[in-house]
Amino acid sequence: MRLTPLSVITLLSISATSTLANANDAATIETLVTKKSNAPQIASTYINDAILPPAIEWHGKSEALLLSADNPWATPFEKNGLKTSPSYDETFIWLDKLIAQSDKLKKVSLGKSPQGRDIWMIIASTEGAETPQALAENDKPSVLVQAGIHSGEIDGKDAGMMLLRDIVIGDKGALLDKANLLFVPIFSVDGHERSTQYNRVNQRGPVNMGWRTTANNLNLNRDYAKADTIEMQHMLTAINTWQPDLYIDVHVTDGIDYQYDVTFGYNLPQGLSPASYAWLENIYRPAIEADLTAQGHIPGPLVFAIDNTDITKGMSLWNAGPRFSNGYGDARHLPTILIENHSLKPYKQRVLGTYVMLESTLHTVGQQATKLKSAIRKDKFNYAPMITLSWKEHQQAKGWDFKGIGYNLEKSDISGNEIVRWTGEPKLYHDLPLIGNTVADIRVKRPSAYYIPSQWTEVIDRLERHGIRLTLVEQPVALTLEQYQFTQAEFAAKDYEGRQRVDAQVTKQSIKTTLPTGTVKLDTKQPLGDLAILLLEPQSADSLFQWGLFNPIFTRTEYIENYAVEPLAAQMLKDNPALQTEFDLALEDPLFADDPKARLRWFYERSPYYDNQYMKYPVLRQK
């Protein structure tokens, strides 16, 4: 008899006192699953299955983690056929019941969402710590796992609920002997409750999925640097307060079809945290991939095809900026892992893969805590003399033997274009090109400090939200500093993430100035100094400048009438013969010569009446 997934689950039911089958059970399971069929099939679990590529039936040893639906400690996911995820209220009713069973679990609110929901975090420790101070006293590394930053991508919530259950009631309690777990089941809580079966058309489950953005239609995984949303401000406060040693952000990807079910990555060795990268790449990844493989999953690096219609063009290697979780972690020297489960894999498979990865993470971090903490400390106090603000793409020396899925291109009568038809058949693509933004482009020397005028309150607030240390100038001080001057400012044609972004040509000049009392000083020799540089250097793509927080400097508020500038210009030429030579040279440009307004403006800009702060960056640099 061919076993359906549900009948396998029934055979794997285990008691409430243990969440894992014993060794004999595991052997039985392995024998049973060898009878499975790997043939591609048209799935019929979810409303969008009929329009998605063929599915490959999956069974793995990690199915032994599942409780039967009638077990009193089954999660809502397990109770409902492994294809649904509970609502906000259902999630915390179940978790509150679990928390009541053990002193190891505590629940704290990080703050409320715009619609008034608490963003809850569960603290799991052997001591039952419920404050940052108490958690720090146990001297164990802490892993912060965040689910639902895009609330339709909610695998981490159901995996984390199962893992917490098994820590408290099953046989996973030893995971807390050497590590703490900070678990945020739902980050985008308002988006989570905008849930229907139609929200994520490219994803196989759960049945109802939350919305990608917040109630204000902002994408939290574009908000780390600018920190506009209330939700992100709460999360940054939590990171600064609880000081995790590893940060995991659980997503589900879109894009092409392939064999990997759990892909994960982090920023590259060229980034700002090379020691943390080395730990992640040489210690963390081998351990996690081995555990995932042993449990029947296919782990891999993050997958981003250069051309979704032509896999042979290769894959993109991503060095994220600090608007994203992994780029932000790199900038603040918090090792951060982006999990991207494959959207075309069934929900059960993705949840179980996430469970295995989280369990393996706690074990690995606990075993390798000293090396992890050493790497973080090395990055925090490196103080690199040169900081890269932008990157250029470069083909990597080593390609990728990519575990893909076969496909054909068919002419579409609907679009008139060629459409990819995935076959569901595994296919290995040998030595695909790998293109990464790994060559430094714009670089700047590290300033010793920045000075921010006190009136730029929104900028100062953002810096404080990130936990960057600031001090105040207590009495007027005369200094020689550097200031950026902008030209050719270009504003985006439409807003992006609630902001009108701006870019401009930049020059730098030395100025002598007296800073007034109350000016804010930011010393870059601090653990978050690299993050501060990326936020304040205007050529950084995620600078507060490019996000539009300094846009008022591009507004002209004082003008001069033509009847006044003309006699002013005549007097300026009379008093300054060198100016006449400069004007004659300008007139050699026919466009300038034929533009009366430009000619008058030329004199106004050189007069003492002109706004000397126009298009000048108010943040000053100290060498």
Side-chain angles (χ1 to χ4, degrees):
M1 179 180 71
R2 182 171 176 271
L3 295 171
T4 65
L6 187 57
S7 58
V8 172
I9 293 162
T10 303
L11 287 168
L12 301 182
S13 298
I14 53 180
S15 69
T17 59
S18 175
T19 60
L20 279 179
N22 59 30
N24 291 332
D25 291 333
T28 302
I29 294 160
E30 187 170 10
T31 300
L32 287 170
V33 301
T34 57
K35 299 180 181 180
K36 71 182 185 297
S37 169
N38 279 326
Q41 57 189 301
I42 300 299
S44 58
T45 302
Y46 303 104
I47 193 170
N48 54 336
D49 273 327
I51 61 174
L52 295 181
I56 299 175
E57 186 175 343
W58 176 87
H59 297 290
K61 288 184 179 180
S62 60
E63 287 177 307
L65 297 164
L66 295 163
L67 291 184
S68 62
D70 59 357
N71 190 294
W73 281 108
T75 65
F77 159 72
E78 292 165 311
K79 286 183 177 295
N80 293 304
L82 314 178
K83 61 182 182 180
T84 70
S85 189
S87 69
Y88 175 91
D89 288 339
E90 291 167 340
T91 296
F92 292 106
I93 288 171
W94 189 92
L95 281 169
D96 285 343
K97 176 184 171 185
L98 181 67
I99 291 167
Q101 306 302 307
S102 173
D103 292 334
K104 294 180 179 179
L105 303 184
K106 303 296 180 183
K107 186 177 80 165
V108 298
S109 174
L110 305 185
K112 291 190 180 294
S113 72
Q115 291 183 341
R117 296 180 179 88
D118 283 291
I119 302 172
W120 294 109
M121 182 172 76
I122 313 301
I123 304 105
S125 67
T126 52
E127 300 79 11
E130 56 184 329
T131 67
Q133 296 75 20
L135 195 72
E137 287 173 1
N138 71 26
D139 200 30
K140 300 172 189 176
S142 294
V143 178
L144 172 55
V145 176
Q146 165 187 287
I149 188 172
H150 297 151
S151 59
E153 306 166 28
I154 203 63
D155 307 10
K157 177 186 71 177
D158 290 296
M161 291 168 72
M162 289 175 61
L163 181 59
L164 284 177
R165 183 262 322 277
D166 295 346
I167 287 172
V168 170
I169 294 175
D171 60 357
K172 305 287 187 182
L175 290 172
L176 299 183
D177 288 348
K178 295 184 178 181
N180 308 309
L181 173 61
L182 306 172
F183 176 52
V184 179
I186 311 168
F187 183 13
S188 183
V189 289
D190 295 342
H192 186 277
E193 294 308 278
R194 185 181 169 183
S195 177
T196 78
Q197 58 187 332
Y198 297 105
N199 277 355
R200 283 183 62 82
V201 67
N202 305 309
Q203 182 175 306
R204 278 200 164 93
V207 170
N208 289 312
M209 292 173 274
W211 195 247
R212 180 175 176 82
T213 53
T214 68
N216 301 104
N217 204 34
L218 295 175
N219 187 335
L220 290 177
N221 202 31
R222 306 293 184 273
D223 195 41
Y224 279 90
K226 61 185 176 68
D228 278 336
T229 62
I230 293 174
E231 294 96 330
M232 185 57 69
Q233 292 172 12
H234 292 327
M235 183 58 69
L236 296 182
T237 298
I239 290 172
N240 289 319
T241 303
W242 292 89
Q243 289 291 307
D245 300 281
L246 187 70
Y247 186 20
I248 295 181
D249 183 20
V250 187
H251 290 248
V252 182
T253 190
D254 291 327
I256 64 174
D257 201 359
Y258 45 81
Q259 298 173 51
Y260 310 101
D261 56 352
V262 180
T263 69
F264 63 97
Y266 26 81
N267 267 32
L268 306 179
Q270 295 85 356
L272 292 165
S273 298
S276 296
Y277 169 85
W279 185 91
L280 288 165
E281 186 70 7
N282 300 323
I283 295 175
Y284 180 82
R285 182 176 287 279
I288 273 59
E289 288 193 341
D291 287 345
L292 282 164
T293 301
Q295 291 295 317
H297 297 275
I298 304 179
L302 297 173
V303 177
F304 304 103
I306 292 172
D307 183 344
N308 285 0
T309 66
D310 186 356
I311 303 304
T312 64
K313 289 183 180 179
M315 296 292 153
S316 176
L317 189 64
W318 188 34
N319 204 20
R323 75 185 64 174
F324 304 98
S325 61
N326 46 322
Y328 182 73
D330 180 65
R332 71 172 291 145
H333 314 304
L334 167 59
T336 299
I337 297 158
L338 172 64
I339 297 178
E340 288 280 7
N341 293 328
H342 188 210
S343 61
L344 296 177
K345 301 298 186 289
Y347 192 53
K348 175 191 75 171
Q349 182 177 356
R350 303 196 323 258
V351 169
L352 291 177
T354 307
Y355 180 112
V356 172
M357 185 163 180
L358 298 184
E359 178 186 359
S360 183
T361 295
L362 287 174
H363 177 77
T364 302
V365 169
Q367 293 294 324
Q368 300 291 337
T370 300
K371 291 182 178 179
L372 173 60
K373 287 178 176 289
S374 176
I376 294 170
R377 182 174 179 81
K378 185 176 181 180
D379 289 329
K380 281 184 174 180
F381 297 100
N382 181 32
Y383 305 143
M386 297 293 294
I387 300 294
T388 300
L389 303 181
S390 64
W391 300 88
K392 294 185 290 188
E393 290 191 341
H394 177 70
Q395 182 164 340
Q396 309 302 296
K398 185 178 180 181
W400 185 354
D401 287 340
F402 181 72
K403 296 178 181 178
I405 296 291
Y407 67 94
N408 300 305
L409 291 176
E410 296 180 6
K411 183 67 177 292
S412 168
D413 293 334
I414 304 296
S415 69
N417 200 0
E418 287 189 322
I419 299 294
V420 172
R421 303 296 186 197
W422 302 102
T423 66
E425 297 288 348
K427 180 177 179 179
L428 182 64
Y429 296 86
H430 291 283
D431 198 27
L432 286 182
L434 192 57
I435 312 296
N437 51 336
T438 56
V439 174
D441 185 14
I442 299 174
R443 306 187 78 203
V444 296
K445 287 185 178 180
R446 184 186 203 91
S448 62
Y450 293 99
Y451 292 92
I452 308 156
S454 60
Q455 65 266 27
W456 292 95
T457 54
E458 185 180 26
V459 172
I460 295 165
D461 173 73
R462 290 295 187 271
L463 297 171
E464 290 179 327
R465 289 282 183 184
H466 287 289
I468 295 167
R469 187 173 66 247
L470 305 174
T471 58
L472 293 179
V473 173
E474 296 182 351
Q475 59 186 14
V477 57
L479 294 172
T480 299
L481 302 171
E482 296 177 325
Q483 184 174 38
Y484 289 118
Q485 172 77 56
F486 301 120
T487 58
Q488 301 178 42
E490 294 185 6
F491 291 88
K494 59 181 180 179
D495 81 305
Y496 175 64
E497 292 299 318
R499 288 280 179 179
Q500 187 182 20
R501 288 179 58 84
V502 63
D503 198 3
Q505 296 298 310
V506 178
T507 56
K508 187 170 59 179
Q509 59 186 354
S510 178
I511 63 168
K512 292 182 178 180
T513 187
T514 298
L515 301 175
T517 301
T519 300
V520 173
K521 180 181 180 181
L522 191 162
D523 191 327
T524 68
K525 282 194 173 181
Q526 59 171 296
L528 297 181
D530 291 347
L531 173 62
I533 292 171
L534 292 187
L535 293 175
L536 290 179
E537 285 295 326
Q539 291 171 289
S540 165
D542 277 312
S543 64
L544 300 180
F545 168 79
Q546 288 203 27
W547 276 115
L549 274 72
F550 290 97
N551 280 1
I553 68 173
F554 295 106
T555 302
R556 289 183 58 187
T557 57
E558 292 287 354
Y559 301 88
I560 186 169
E561 298 294 346
N562 291 352
Y563 60 74
V565 72
E566 199 279 336
L568 174 66
Q571 187 63 44
M572 291 169 65
L573 290 172
K574 180 180 178 181
D575 294 342
N576 186 358
L579 190 65
Q580 180 70 64
T581 302
E582 187 180 349
F583 184 53
D584 290 340
L585 286 173
L587 289 172
E588 292 179 6
D589 179 354
L591 292 177
F592 175 77
D594 292 339
D595 188 342
K597 289 184 177 179
R599 291 169 63 155
L600 291 176
R601 186 169 60 249
W602 190 91
F603 285 97
Y604 176 45
E605 290 173 355
R606 286 156 178 77
S607 78
Y609 295 98
Y610 190 69
D611 180 5
N612 64 6
Q613 296 302 313
Y614 179 54
M615 292 194 12
K616 289 184 179 179
Y617 194 39
V619 177
L620 304 178
R621 302 170 95 250
Q622 188 170 35
K623 292 183 179 179

